[in-house]
mmCIF file with all atom_site columns, all heavy atoms in Angstrom:
data_model
loop_
_atom_site.group_PDB
_atom_site.id
_atom_site.type_symbol
_atom_site.label_atom_id
_atom_site.label_alt_id
_atom_site.label_comp_id
_atom_site.label_asym_id
_atom_site.label_entity_id
_atom_site.label_seq_id
_atom_site.pdbx_PDB_ins_code
_atom_site.Cartn_x
_atom_site.Cartn_y
_atom_site.Cartn_z
_atom_site.occupancy
_atom_site.B_iso_or_equiv
_atom_site.pdbx_formal_charge
_atom_site.auth_seq_id
_atom_site.auth_comp_id
_atom_site.auth_asym_id
_atom_site.auth_atom_id
_atom_site.pdbx_PDB_model_num
ATOM 1  N N   . ASP A 1 50  ? -26.570 32.680 40.987 1.00 90.00 ? 63  ASP A N   1
ATOM 2  C CA  . ASP A 1 50  ? -26.959 31.784 39.898 1.00 90.00 ? 63  ASP A CA  1
ATOM 3  C C   . ASP A 1 50  ? -28.445 31.320 40.131 1.00 90.00 ? 63  ASP A C   1
ATOM 4  O O   . ASP A 1 50  ? -29.080 31.770 41.120 1.00 90.00 ? 63  ASP A O   1
ATOM 5  C CB  . ASP A 1 50  ? -26.023 30.611 39.758 1.00 90.00 ? 63  ASP A CB  1
ATOM 6  C CG  . ASP A 1 50  ? -25.959 29.688 40.934 1.00 90.00 ? 63  ASP A CG  1
ATOM 7  O OD1 . ASP A 1 50  ? -26.838 29.760 41.853 1.00 90.00 ? 63  ASP A OD1 1
ATOM 8  O OD2 . ASP A 1 50  ? -25.126 28.789 40.959 1.00 90.00 ? 63  ASP A OD2 1
ATOM 9  N N   . ARG A 1 52  ? -29.640 28.733 41.343 1.00 88.00 ? 65  ARG A N   1
ATOM 10 C CA  . ARG A 1 52  ? -29.875 28.045 42.668 1.00 88.00 ? 65  ARG A CA  1
ATOM 11 C C   . ARG A 1 52  ? -29.787 28.992 43.808 1.00 88.00 ? 65  ARG A C   1
ATOM 12 O O   . ARG A 1 52  ? -29.954 28.592 44.961 1.00 88.00 ? 65  ARG A O   1
ATOM 13 C CB  . ARG A 1 52  ? -28.853 26.890 42.804 1.00 88.00 ? 65  ARG A CB  1
ATOM 14 C CG  . ARG A 1 52  ? -29.019 25.800 41.767 1.00 88.00 ? 65  ARG A CG  1
ATOM 15 C CD  . ARG A 1 52  ? -27.918 24.852 41.890 1.00 88.00 ? 65  ARG A CD  1
ATOM 16 N NE  . ARG A 1 52  ? -26.682 25.591 41.756 1.00 88.00 ? 65  ARG A NE  1
ATOM 17 C CZ  . ARG A 1 52  ? -25.517 25.131 41.363 1.00 88.00 ? 65  ARG A CZ  1
ATOM 18 N NH1 . ARG A 1 52  ? -25.368 23.873 41.195 1.00 88.00 ? 65  ARG A NH1 1
ATOM 19 N NH2 . ARG A 1 52  ? -24.449 25.892 41.288 1.00 88.00 ? 65  ARG A NH2 1
ATOM 20 N N   . ARG A 1 91  ? -31.575 47.253 43.981 1.00 94.00 ? 104 ARG A N   1
ATOM 21 C CA  . ARG A 1 91  ? -32.135 46.875 42.673 1.00 94.00 ? 104 ARG A CA  1
ATOM 22 C C   . ARG A 1 91  ? -31.594 45.534 42.208 1.00 94.00 ? 104 ARG A C   1
ATOM 23 O O   . ARG A 1 91  ? -30.457 45.225 42.459 1.00 94.00 ? 104 ARG A O   1
ATOM 24 C CB  . ARG A 1 91  ? -31.718 47.906 41.660 1.00 94.00 ? 104 ARG A CB  1
ATOM 25 C CG  . ARG A 1 91  ? -32.122 49.349 41.877 1.00 94.00 ? 104 ARG A CG  1
ATOM 26 C CD  . ARG A 1 91  ? -33.613 49.599 41.604 1.00 94.00 ? 104 ARG A CD  1
ATOM 27 N NE  . ARG A 1 91  ? -33.999 49.303 40.250 1.00 94.00 ? 104 ARG A NE  1
ATOM 28 C CZ  . ARG A 1 91  ? -34.279 50.184 39.347 1.00 94.00 ? 104 ARG A CZ  1
ATOM 29 N NH1 . ARG A 1 91  ? -34.177 51.506 39.600 1.00 94.00 ? 104 ARG A NH1 1
ATOM 30 N NH2 . ARG A 1 91  ? -34.630 49.863 38.143 1.00 94.00 ? 104 ARG A NH2 1
ATOM 31 N N   . GLY A 1 114 ? -23.204 16.593 17.792 1.00 64.00 ? 127 GLY A N   1
ATOM 32 C CA  . GLY A 1 114 ? -23.059 17.995 18.150 1.00 64.00 ? 127 GLY A CA  1
ATOM 33 C C   . GLY A 1 114 ? -24.335 18.585 18.716 1.00 64.00 ? 127 GLY A C   1
ATOM 34 O O   . GLY A 1 114 ? -24.378 19.358 19.652 1.00 64.00 ? 127 GLY A O   1
ATOM 35 N N   . ASP A 1 119 ? -22.837 20.346 22.139 1.00 65.00 ? 132 ASP A N   1
ATOM 36 C CA  . ASP A 1 119 ? -23.304 21.700 22.480 1.00 65.00 ? 132 ASP A CA  1
ATOM 37 C C   . ASP A 1 119 ? -24.100 21.763 23.746 1.00 65.00 ? 132 ASP A C   1
ATOM 38 O O   . ASP A 1 119 ? -23.920 22.726 24.532 1.00 65.00 ? 132 ASP A O   1
ATOM 39 C CB  . ASP A 1 119 ? -24.041 22.295 21.292 1.00 65.00 ? 132 ASP A CB  1
ATOM 40 C CG  . ASP A 1 119 ? -23.108 22.644 20.127 1.00 65.00 ? 132 ASP A CG  1
ATOM 41 O OD1 . ASP A 1 119 ? -21.858 22.619 20.308 1.00 65.00 ? 132 ASP A OD1 1
ATOM 42 O OD2 . ASP A 1 119 ? -23.594 23.011 19.005 1.00 65.00 ? 132 ASP A OD2 1
ATOM 43 N N   . GLY A 1 123 ? -22.565 23.878 27.048 1.00 67.00 ? 136 GLY A N   1
ATOM 44 C CA  . GLY A 1 123 ? -23.306 25.162 27.220 1.00 67.00 ? 136 GLY A CA  1
ATOM 45 C C   . GLY A 1 123 ? -23.232 26.103 26.051 1.00 67.00 ? 136 GLY A C   1
ATOM 46 O O   . GLY A 1 123 ? -23.716 27.194 26.064 1.00 67.00 ? 136 GLY A O   1
#
Side-chain angles (χ1 to χ4, degrees):
D63 64 10
R65 296 172 304 200
R104 300 285 300 255
D132 286 351

